[in-house]
Amino acid sequence: MFTPRDQNPALAALLTLCAAAFAAATTLLAKALGTGALGLEMHALQVSNGRFLFAFLAIGAVTAVMRPRFTRPDLKLHTVRSGLGWGGVTLMFAAAAFIPLSDATAISFLNPVFAMMLAIPLLGETVGRIRWSAAAIALLGAAILTRPGGGVVELGALLALGAAMLLGSEIILIKRLSRHEGPVQILLINNVIGLLISAAAAAFVWQWPEPRQWLALAAIGVLMAAAQACFVNAMARADASFVAPFFYAALVFASIYDALVFGVIPDAVSLTGAAIILCGAGLLAWREARLKKSPPPVPPSQPM
């Protein structure tokens, strides 16, 4: 599943669309749990704990079957990366309870923008005018989605923006880890450490879930693990520059899910902000693809 495959762009596109659908579904379920649609409102800390718990069980089962060869891990780097990922996931799940899924998803597309900015001091990368322009365009779209003066909606957008910043930072550490460790090892260790961190945090807000809440938590973890597996397989079958744009379909899936389940239809502000972010993120992805033959860029994504 995680070994190089023959090039198959059509299958890669299909796998990426599946990953986008699965990732958007996890945010939908987090919103249902956080807004009380499935019982008592569940704190985002407990939702993220469920995500790591069941993702660990799913990835652990795959690892037991595959028995991949592990190398010596950089536990310090893994711990920092997992802490950032846990923080980003928690903030994104919290944001989903306040704002439309389309807004939260669009703001999540800022991940690579923040990763680009951090790559300058941390990876020594050089950023030119086109990439800075792309970042400025995407940030303008995010500013629109914060809806200044919009009260609770503004808070939700700021939470999503914070999630994007943390997950963008995580991308840098994933790039560093991927130079020496395999994807299965990185995913497994991430979910082990993330589970420990999230369990400690969730202990302060824990409430015993109802049966359907347990199902939703399990679905979040399994769907996220499935999204990761689909995306890694897609990257093995086509160039990153071909695969990455298909993940923007997560915005479409999020809008459809939100409309069907919660009756939320994106308004003009949402559509405008999302369109501007997509333009900036798309320009950045295009420029990254032309710049160099470097480790494949991580596309904008839901919390994984």
Side-chain angles (χ1 to χ4, degrees):
M1 180 174 65
F2 293 95
T3 55
R5 305 288 184 180
D6 293 335
Q7 294 292 288
N8 188 335
L11 180 57
L14 178 60
L15 287 169
T16 307
L17 290 174
C18 289
F22 294 153
T26 65
T27 313
L28 173 73
L29 290 170
K31 179 173 182 173
L33 290 167
T35 56
L38 297 176
L40 293 177
E41 292 183 8
M42 184 173 290
H43 198 284
L45 290 173
Q46 188 171 351
V47 178
S48 63
N49 176 234
R51 169 257 184 266
F52 280 103
L53 170 62
F54 289 102
F56 163 71
L57 293 176
I59 294 173
V62 171
T63 303
V65 173
M66 293 177 55
R67 296 184 179 181
R69 183 177 180 180
F70 286 174
T71 58
R72 184 180 180 86
D74 186 337
L75 291 179
K76 181 178 179 180
L77 200 59
H78 275 290
T79 301
V80 176
R81 176 257 164 134
S82 297
L84 291 170
W86 164 77
V89 166
T90 303
L91 288 179
M92 181 60 70
F93 287 167
F98 291 102
I99 61 177
L101 292 185
S102 59
D103 286 12
T105 302
I107 293 174
S108 76
F109 292 158
L110 292 173
N111 295 356
V113 173
F114 291 117
M116 180 206 77
M117 294 177 179
L118 290 170
I120 299 172
L122 298 180
L123 299 180
E125 293 187 4
T126 300
V127 177
R129 287 178 297 177
I130 293 181
R131 290 200 288 174
W132 276 121
S133 298
I137 292 171
L139 290 172
L140 173 61
I144 292 174
L145 289 180
T146 60
R147 304 169 192 247
V152 70
V153 177
E154 179 184 359
L155 171 62
L158 292 177
L159 288 172
L161 187 61
M165 293 177 66
L166 291 177
L167 295 173
S169 302
E170 184 189 20
I171 291 174
I172 298 297
L173 300 188
I174 293 174
K175 287 183 177 182
R176 292 180 60 180
L177 286 169
S178 64
R179 295 172 180 173
H180 308 287
E181 301 181 33
V184 176
Q185 177 172 320
I186 293 174
L187 288 175
L188 181 63
I189 294 176
N190 166 243
N191 281 280
V192 170
I193 298 176
L195 176 58
L196 295 175
I197 296 173
S198 63
F204 295 97
V205 297
W206 176 266
Q207 62 184 41
W208 192 259
E210 299 178 16
R212 56 182 178 175
Q213 290 178 317
W214 275 119
L215 290 175
L217 290 171
I220 288 174
V222 173
L223 284 170
M224 191 55 68
Q228 292 174 325
C230 286
F231 182 72
V232 170
N233 272 274
M235 294 288 281
R237 290 174 168 83
D239 293 338
S241 58
F242 174 82
V243 169
F246 286 96
F247 204 89
Y248 291 123
L251 180 59
V252 177
F253 288 117
S255 299
I256 293 174
Y257 297 159
D258 216 10
L260 292 177
V261 178
F262 293 101
V264 177
I265 306 297
D267 59 15
V269 175
S270 293
L271 293 174
T272 301
I276 293 175
I277 289 177
L278 286 176
C279 288
L283 177 59
L284 180 60
W286 171 80
R287 185 58 176 169
E288 292 284 353
R290 290 175 58 89
L291 274 177
K292 55 192 175 182
K293 295 179 180 179
S294 60
V298 179
S301 63
Q302 297 295 298
M304 294 189 181

